[in-house]
Amino acid sequence: MENIAKISIKSSTKNLIEVRNFIETNAKKQLSDANIINQIILSVDEACTNIIKHTYKFDESHIIEIQNYTDKNQFVVKIFYSGDEFDPNKRNNPDMKEYFAKYKVGGLGIPLMKKFMDKIDYMHYVNNFNELTLVKNI
Amino acid sequence: MEEFNIIEKISNEVTTLHLEGFLDAHTSVELEKSFEKLIAEKKFKIIVNFEKLSYISSAGLGVFMAYIETIRNNAGDIKLCKMSDKIFNIFDMLGFPILFEIYKDEAEPIEKFK
């Protein structure tokens, strides 16, 4: 495992740009494919957006910590936050034909994360602490 | 460049929104306001030009889903154009071309509205 880079943000959507810049800076040190880098940036953005929106209901007083490192052939992003349990792996992707037919809104962040990342791990601990891990094979 | 900016241009009955910068969960509120304003003004023929948009997340996609039904119910449409490959891939991956017309240039959707 190489050096771990870390950033902590307050739980506000205005800080998403800081998260994206953090991931982009680190990803560019390890990866050259702009498309892959964008997929990782978008996935981390979607994960943080969901936490801010659904876990914290846009309450900006919480802290989200993001760690990033490369381990063997994997680019790993870990997101640590407190709050209720929510495992994105347990959320089924929407039927997009029905989605468009019924003009649905929202619920597309997790499908994007699942399409773009090779692995998503989620752990919820007894102290209401959450660890979401996004892995891209490189 | 500012984080996100919208330039509105009106020609005949067609309004074109030129998006610039980053469209995410923070800035998508600005685009919502633009659609709300156009609907209030009964301007239902809308083209969105993505040429200067460098990033979109699902929150941005959600804005188009939120208003398309109302706009089409009023004999209008939201037609999309000039996306970079990076942004088109996000729309395409989720199947948005099923619901939205997406054009390479701005002239074609203008013609379609005539």
Side-chain angles (χ1 to χ4, degrees):
Chain A
M1 190 188 299
E2 293 183 20
N3 291 343
I4 299 175
K6 297 179 187 177
I7 186 175
S8 290
I9 60 157
K10 284 206 163 187
S11 51
S12 167
T13 55
K14 66 173 174 251
N15 295 323
L16 290 170
I17 191 166
E18 195 179 338
V19 173
R20 294 196 299 270
N21 289 341
F22 169 76
I23 296 296
E24 182 176 19
T25 300
N26 295 328
K28 281 182 172 173
K29 292 175 187 169
Q30 305 291 337
L31 305 164
S32 56
D33 187 327
N35 192 40
I36 299 288
I37 292 171
N38 190 55
Q39 290 177 0
I40 298 168
I41 292 168
L42 181 61
S43 298
V44 178
D45 178 322
E46 298 291 353
C48 291
T49 297
N50 277 348
I51 294 164
I52 292 166
K53 184 176 179 183
H54 298 295
T55 304
Y56 296 140
K57 310 279 190 281
F58 298 105
D59 176 349
E60 300 182 6
S61 66
H62 300 273
I63 298 291
I64 300 169
E65 182 177 314
I66 298 144
Q67 297 185 1
N68 166 234
Y69 58 88
T70 51
D71 188 12
K72 295 175 185 168
N73 296 322
Q74 293 185 322
F75 187 89
V76 180
V77 179
K78 285 184 175 286
I79 303 171
F80 299 97
Y81 64 102
S82 59
D84 292 342
E85 183 173 2
F86 177 77
D87 184 351
N89 291 310
K90 292 180 179 172
R91 178 63 63 93
N92 292 328
N93 285 348
D95 175 336
M96 293 309 292
K97 280 187 180 174
E98 184 191 0
Y99 189 94
F100 291 122
K102 294 185 175 176
Y103 297 103
K104 291 187 177 178
V105 180
L108 298 179
I110 292 172
L112 282 174
M113 283 164 52
K114 288 180 178 174
K115 278 182 185 286
F116 287 151
M117 303 306 290
D118 292 302
K119 188 178 170 192
I120 299 172
D121 280 334
Y122 172 78
M123 292 293 293
H124 180 75
Y125 301 102
V126 286
N127 58 358
N128 229 21
F129 194 70
N130 301 286
E131 178 181 344
L132 179 64
T133 306
L134 308 181
V135 178
K136 187 77 173 175
N137 296 332
I138 58 175
Chain B
M1 188 196 292
E2 285 187 34
E3 198 173 317
F4 181 66
N5 194 31
I6 303 170
I7 296 169
E8 182 181 314
K9 293 181 181 173
I10 302 169
S11 177
N12 297 321
E13 288 186 337
V14 179
T15 304
T16 303
L17 301 178
H18 294 258
L19 310 186
E20 298 179 358
F22 309 98
L23 184 54
D24 63 8
H26 188 61
T27 60
S28 58
V29 179
E30 294 303 313
L31 185 57
E32 287 174 3
K33 286 179 188 169
S34 286
F35 279 116
E36 297 279 0
K37 176 175 162 283
L38 292 175
I39 289 168
E41 294 169 348
K42 300 192 183 305
K43 292 174 181 167
F44 300 113
K45 293 180 179 178
I46 302 166
I47 295 170
V48 181
N49 185 319
F50 287 75
E51 186 174 17
K52 293 184 179 174
L53 194 79
S54 54
Y55 177 83
I56 191 167
S57 71
S58 69
L61 302 179
V63 179
F64 301 103
M65 289 304 298
Y67 296 102
I68 188 67
E69 186 176 14
T70 301
I71 286 167
R72 285 191 180 158
N73 285 344
N74 285 279
D77 197 13
I78 304 172
K79 299 181 191 297
L80 315 177
C81 71
K82 301 204 84 164
M83 290 180 185
S84 64
D85 288 345
K86 181 175 108 172
I87 286 178
F88 176 76
N89 287 342
I90 307 292
F91 277 88
D92 190 44
M93 178 172 288
L94 291 167
F96 273 67
I98 294 170
L99 191 62
F100 291 89
E101 295 172 19
I102 302 176
Y103 298 92
K104 285 197 186 301
D105 61 30
E106 198 180 305
E108 204 175 346
I110 290 171
E111 276 301 309
K112 291 276 182 181
F113 271 128
K114 285 181 180 171

